[in-house]
Amino acid sequence: MKAYERLLKYAAFRTPSDENGTETPSTACQHALAQALAEEMRAMGLEGVLMDEHAYVYGNLPATAGYEDRPAVGFIAHIDTVPVPEGASVRPAVVRDYDGGELPLGDSGLVLSPAVFTHLPMLKGETLIVTDGLTVLGADDKAGVAAILTAVERLQRENIPHGPVRVCFTPDEEIGHGAALLDLERFGAAAAYTVDGGDVGELEYETFNAAAAKFTIRGVSVHPGSAKGLMKNAAAIAAEIAASVPADETPETTEGYEGFYHLTEITGDVSDAAVSFILRDHDRAKFEARKERMRRLEAAINGKYGAGTAFLALRDQYYNMAEVLREHPEVLQKAENAIRRAGLDPVTKPVRGGTDGSQLSFRGLPCPNLGMGGFCYHGPYEHASAERMEKTAEILMNIAEEYARG
């Protein structure tokens, strides 16, 4: 089966995660895809296939005879997506021999246009999988799942020598929890690669340091006609907090290694309000300074409006995995070799985000990230290239061979 055919199959499963969920997985719907993947892996002949109660799916491809003593390499992808409108179904479309021009997305009125998405001309002649303009596609990261299982299938079918190969599919990556309950002992890999990036040939090992900051504001509501000296407008204070971060340090004004403060939500009324940010920076010292700014802001609001007006909940989410991977250059070198053997030049650039590999690297499993031929994630313009997904599978096969060589 081709990788894109698997993507079409997996995209039909609705698997949004929920940042307000209290269990893992955060949404019950993720179990269905996890169960389907476990069944597919068993049918492919993988050993030790297990879907646990948290919708993590594990499987082992035993080493080729004579390569049993090679270090085990792992491949990881996540099954959840960003939110999809309630009741909406993902309806991908296949566009063969794309002409490089404007591409209407179903009847939505949206158009995938090279005037906006300047990478599109390089996809001319390829087979694109696109949305109907009403939902995300889910290529992030179902294209990664598809590439991994396609690589495993081809390793078996083509009798390519390899050491032990471990596979794991995780829930809740989009809300930062995907690696939290991955059982490293059960997984049993010496090193691993998440397949959760952008274009094929990308090798990413520098992620943001990340934290979430939420201000809860308690106001005092009285009649506005007699409010002088009494009212404490929580909504207005929330707006003041939201406006307090530098305007030139937001996602829409930064790139490359530049960090940011991102206002993700502001809610409330006169009595109660809340403001949520995510903080991001590749540099650990600058990251800590961003968190300190939030603490100073809390103190300033309470100093201005009275103790107990604002409460800050600050939570680290993940760290820059480059700190770990610099100590394991061989993990990066094997991936670079594999990409070159596939006829591509490795592309390394800082990830303006994070992957499961961020947490896993700090848990002791070196785990850089690979691209898989997808673009414009987290929105209706999301699309993937069938040919680039297939090339990703080839790179994964090459990585397995690299580890077989020792």
Side-chain angles (χ1 to χ4, degrees):
M1 185 183 295
K2 295 289 188 181
Y4 86 91
E5 294 171 327
R6 285 189 160 93
L7 172 59
L8 293 174
K9 181 171 62 172
Y10 305 152
F13 289 83
R14 189 176 182 278
T15 57
S17 48
D18 180 3
E19 63 181 6
N20 296 313
T22 58
E23 298 180 353
T24 301
S26 60
T27 51
C29 60
Q30 295 180 65
H31 284 285
L33 179 54
Q35 183 61 50
L37 291 172
E39 292 172 1
E40 181 176 358
M41 291 160 67
R42 291 188 186 100
M44 292 172 62
L46 271 68
E47 297 183 355
V49 175
L50 170 72
M51 170 188 160
D52 72 13
E53 68 271 27
H54 301 295
Y56 288 76
V57 185
Y58 302 85
N60 305 325
L61 178 64
T64 306
Y67 293 87
E68 294 88 352
D69 62 342
R70 301 301 195 269
V73 61
F75 298 126
I76 301 169
H78 65 90
I79 63 174
D80 65 312
T81 70
V82 293
V84 175
E86 191 65 37
S89 298
V90 177
R91 296 184 177 89
V94 178
V95 180
R96 301 185 188 279
D97 196 19
Y98 169 57
D99 65 9
E102 293 196 343
L103 183 61
L105 299 176
D107 297 323
S108 67
L110 300 182
V111 176
L112 199 57
S113 171
V116 178
F117 305 107
T118 56
H119 68 278
L120 285 170
M122 76 176 184
L123 302 180
K124 183 177 180 179
E126 298 183 17
T127 299
L128 300 191
I129 299 88
V130 301
T131 76
D132 63 358
L134 301 178
T135 71
V136 299
L137 174 61
D140 178 13
D141 187 25
K142 293 170 185 174
V145 176
I148 290 171
L149 290 185
T150 300
V152 168
E153 183 178 61
R154 289 182 59 188
L155 282 170
Q156 296 173 294
R157 185 178 69 236
E158 298 174 23
N159 296 315
I160 294 172
H162 59 83
V165 176
R166 311 299 194 213
V167 173
C168 183
F169 301 126
T170 69
D172 287 349
E173 189 273 349
E174 296 292 358
I175 58 173
H177 296 166
L181 298 179
L182 196 158
D183 188 331
L184 293 181
E185 184 175 355
R186 178 183 296 279
F187 189 45
Y193 300 83
T194 53
V195 188
D196 189 20
D199 198 7
V200 63
E202 291 180 0
L203 171 60
E204 300 168 327
Y205 61 91
E206 296 178 278
T207 60
F208 276 137
N209 296 289
K214 182 175 182 178
F215 290 88
T216 303
I217 303 113
R218 181 174 301 167
V220 176
S221 180
V222 297
H223 191 284
S226 55
K228 186 174 182 179
L230 296 174
M231 179 181 285
K232 190 187 297 184
N233 190 327
I237 295 171
E240 182 178 342
I241 291 172
S244 68
V245 300
D248 60 350
E249 296 184 32
T250 62
E252 56 268 39
T253 61
T254 54
E255 62 183 354
Y257 287 98
E258 297 170 331
F260 58 71
Y261 303 90
H262 179 33
L263 174 65
T264 58
E265 187 175 31
I266 180 168
T267 61
D269 53 25
V270 175
S271 297
D272 297 283
V275 185
S276 296
F277 295 92
I278 58 173
L279 317 179
R280 300 289 189 266
D281 213 297
H282 290 92
D283 184 277
R284 180 66 79 99
K286 292 179 179 178
F287 172 64
E288 295 298 334
R290 292 185 187 282
K291 292 193 292 182
E292 184 57 30
R293 187 187 187 105
M294 295 289 101
R295 297 185 186 101
R296 291 199 306 269
L297 180 55
E298 177 192 31
I301 291 296
N302 287 326
K304 181 177 180 179
Y305 295 102
T309 299
F311 171 75
L312 170 64
L314 194 57
R315 175 175 61 87
D316 285 1
Q317 296 171 305
Y318 56 84
Y319 303 109
N320 187 349
M321 63 182 172
E323 295 182 27
V324 175
L325 288 170
R326 289 191 186 102
E327 304 300 317
H328 299 276
E330 73 284 355
V331 175
L332 302 176
Q333 187 61 60
K334 289 181 186 298
E336 290 178 358
N337 294 345
I339 292 169
R340 290 193 176 95
R341 287 175 54 202
L344 301 174
D345 291 325
V347 176
T348 58
K349 59 183 180 180
V351 183
R352 291 185 61 78
T355 71
D356 280 343
S358 302
Q359 294 186 35
L360 292 171
S361 293
F362 280 90
R363 289 182 58 195
L365 178 68
C367 192
N369 188 44
L370 300 170
M372 72 281 196
F375 306 87
C376 303
Y377 301 142
H378 294 195
Y381 296 101
E382 185 181 5
H383 54 283
S385 160
E387 290 80 4
R388 292 168 192 247
M389 290 174 61
E390 208 65 33
K391 182 64 73 171
T392 300
E394 179 183 343
I395 290 170
L396 298 180
M397 294 162 62
N398 291 345
I399 288 175
E401 283 191 271
E402 288 288 323
Y403 278 82
R405 294 175 178 179

